[in-house]
Amino acid sequence: METLAERLGTDEESIAFLTSALARSLTQACGSGQSVAVAGFGTFETKVRRERVARHPATGRRVLLPPKAVLQFRPSAVLKQKVKDLPEEKS
Amino acid sequence: MKQRLTLADLASVFAELTGESKKASSDFLREFFALVASALEGGESVRIKGFGTFKLTEVDSRKSVNVATGAEMEIPGHRKVSFVPGRELADAVNEAFEMFEPVELSERVTDDMLDSTEEEEPEVEVEEQVAPTSAQEVLEEAFEEVKTESPEELNEEFDEAVEREEIRERNEAIEHAEDRIIEEEGIEEEVESPAEDEEISEESRPRRRFGWGFLVGFLTAAVVAVIAMVFFFDWRPWLALDKSPENIAFSDASIVNSDTLSVPVPTEIVKDSIAATAEDSLSVSGSKVVPTRPSDTVRYDTITKTRYLTTMSREYYGNYHFWPYIYEENKAILGHPDRIRPGTQVVVPELSKYGVDPKNPADVEKAKRKGTEIYSRYR
């Protein structure tokens, strides 16, 4: 697992700020159900999950989960290709 | 379809947020994604705080079919990349739905009640370029009533539900119950618009409780009424068509004479091993005027509260399992074998008439089966 921190090219420690900014901008862009496509990487979409019935794992009671919007990422073909082949060891 | 934004669009948003120039923003973003991509290529998952994780998953090879040729082929093992948003990002995306919380359901809610909320979706997936807030507004409007209900009323509903929970088991009558409830309780909270279906399904839960109660009450009353009728009505006489009025008359008479009757009757003529009634060989069954029977002497006996077909069978035949033959002999006037009215006079036939011998174990089995068969007539 590679955490962000210093591992970013030319930038310095303002990474944290920037990444949260990235997150926020992504959110804002995706806000009203739009998707963001990054060439050669993939697209981020928002999807709505309907409310559903689930069981509380501890009590066993049925619970109604509210609908929600989730962010979904679909890798582009290019990325998939790059990632595809297995090296020997995994992280 | 949703509108698709590009990196440039993202960059401009980013620029707004950060105060950086558009160029700088897009450079950063490009760099960012390139970095992630190369890390992924190298086989490492990338976790970014405040954003999320791009993780790699290994997939084993599997067999498949080439859809074009139909030939078998193998899909080799490979890696897949996926993204899991971090907490902040996920919450931010979900802002429109933030007002909701999981709600505990009573046991009465079924899936079809829940389906009514599907209509919410179109309102969320807005197609034009609408600011996030208006989507939120629309949702808020739609769910307004639900929200105000939330904790208190749902708690009430839940309590009511818990009280009645024992009684209800069926789902089919929900619609009937709903109809009745609408009649009974007025239309105050009735709503037509589909966006408020959820409100109905939530609010009418307590009303469904009422409907259930009435339904069960009615059914119980009906059942009790039927049982009462069975007990209080003597429909035996109506069945005694064949055996004609004598039996009815005898039933009445034999109620009075039951003691005298049962004692003299068991004159043994057949190969029985009855020990009890020694003295009784004197009196002949002809003490009563009776419709003549072929060959064998007619024996009568009367059912009482303590004297059953099995009792008679034991006395006359030596084995209580042969009661079915007494039953068969009298089946015209008998109904359910366990429900013979005390005072019913029955003819006790000779077993030779049916060709069975109480001493023969095979015949005993036969008698038992006959008993089962008689019961099965009443299933």
Side-chain angles (χ1 to χ4, degrees), chain B residues 100-262:
Chain B
F100 297 116
E101 287 172 359
V103 164
E104 200 158 326
L105 292 178
S106 75
E107 294 301 313
R108 296 322 312 153
V109 177
T110 61
D111 289 334
D112 38 80
M113 284 161 67
L114 297 174
D115 280 346
S116 60
T117 60
E118 276 183 36
E119 337 232 0
E120 304 306 336
E121 271 203 57
E123 310 192 27
V124 177
E125 296 181 86
V126 177
E127 275 149 7
E128 320 93 34
Q129 193 145 12
V130 188
T133 48
S134 56
Q136 202 168 345
E137 277 168 6
V138 175
L139 284 172
E140 272 181 328
E141 195 179 26
F143 286 104
E144 192 179 350
E145 318 259 5
V146 172
K147 183 183 180 181
T148 52
E149 283 183 18
S150 275
E152 310 105 329
E153 200 170 322
L154 288 174
N155 277 338
E156 281 172 19
E157 292 178 7
F158 189 67
D159 289 340
E160 276 178 88
V162 167
E163 283 171 11
R164 293 177 172 80
E165 207 168 347
E166 313 305 328
I167 316 175
R168 336 234 170 263
E169 287 306 320
R170 282 156 283 145
N171 291 333
E172 307 89 1
I174 283 179
E175 292 168 29
H176 302 312
E178 224 180 7
D179 293 341
R180 284 237 293 295
I181 289 155
I182 289 169
E183 292 168 12
E184 288 164 4
E185 299 203 8
I187 320 287
E188 18 166 1
E189 285 166 274
E190 247 318 72
V191 259
E192 317 83 358
S193 81
E196 300 178 23
D197 272 356
E198 183 171 9
E199 177 196 303
I200 294 178
S201 66
E202 290 202 44
E203 285 197 6
S204 52
R205 276 183 214 137
R207 295 197 224 125
R208 282 209 183 88
R209 301 286 114 68
F210 281 119
W212 274 114
F214 288 138
L215 185 66
V216 172
F218 284 138
L219 286 179
T220 319
V223 167
V224 168
V226 168
I227 293 174
M229 275 174 42
V230 168
F231 275 118
F232 291 124
F233 278 60
D234 177 14
W235 35 270
R236 290 273 149 42
W238 301 340
L239 293 185
L241 301 168
D242 292 341
K243 294 296 174 195
S244 72
E246 288 105 344
N247 276 338
I248 302 172
F250 276 124
S251 306
D252 296 336
S254 54
I255 291 171
V256 177
N257 299 332
S258 57
D259 293 331
T260 49
L261 243 191
S262 48

Side-chain angles (χ1 to χ4, degrees), chain B residues 220-322:
Chain B
T220 319
V223 167
V224 168
V226 168
I227 293 174
M229 275 174 42
V230 168
F231 275 118
F232 291 124
F233 278 60
D234 177 14
W235 35 270
R236 290 273 149 42
W238 301 340
L239 293 185
L241 301 168
D242 292 341
K243 294 296 174 195
S244 72
E246 288 105 344
N247 276 338
I248 302 172
F250 276 124
S251 306
D252 296 336
S254 54
I255 291 171
V256 177
N257 299 332
S258 57
D259 293 331
T260 49
L261 243 191
S262 48
V263 169
V265 164
T267 50
E268 306 108 77
I269 302 177
V270 209
K271 49 292 177 181
D272 289 330
S273 49
I274 292 171
T277 58
E279 54 198 302
D280 304 320
S281 37
L282 293 179
S283 52
V284 182
S285 48
S287 53
K288 289 276 173 189
V289 179
V290 144
T292 49
R293 300 248 138 215
S295 58
D296 48 8
T297 327
V298 188
R299 293 184 294 197
Y300 283 98
D301 207 326
T302 315
I303 301 284
T304 76
K305 280 210 229 179
T306 50
R307 200 173 166 72
Y308 321 120
L309 290 179
T310 51
T311 321
M312 296 177 194
S313 171
R314 199 182 306 121
E315 278 186 18
Y316 294 104
Y317 307 137
N319 186 326
Y320 78 93
H321 284 112
F322 288 81

Side-chain angles (χ1 to χ4, degrees), chain B residues 323-337:
Chain B
W323 65 265
Y325 297 103
I326 308 182
Y327 182 91
E328 279 297 314
E329 186 79 10
N330 297 276
K331 66 180 171 190
I333 62 164
L334 300 178
H336 193 286

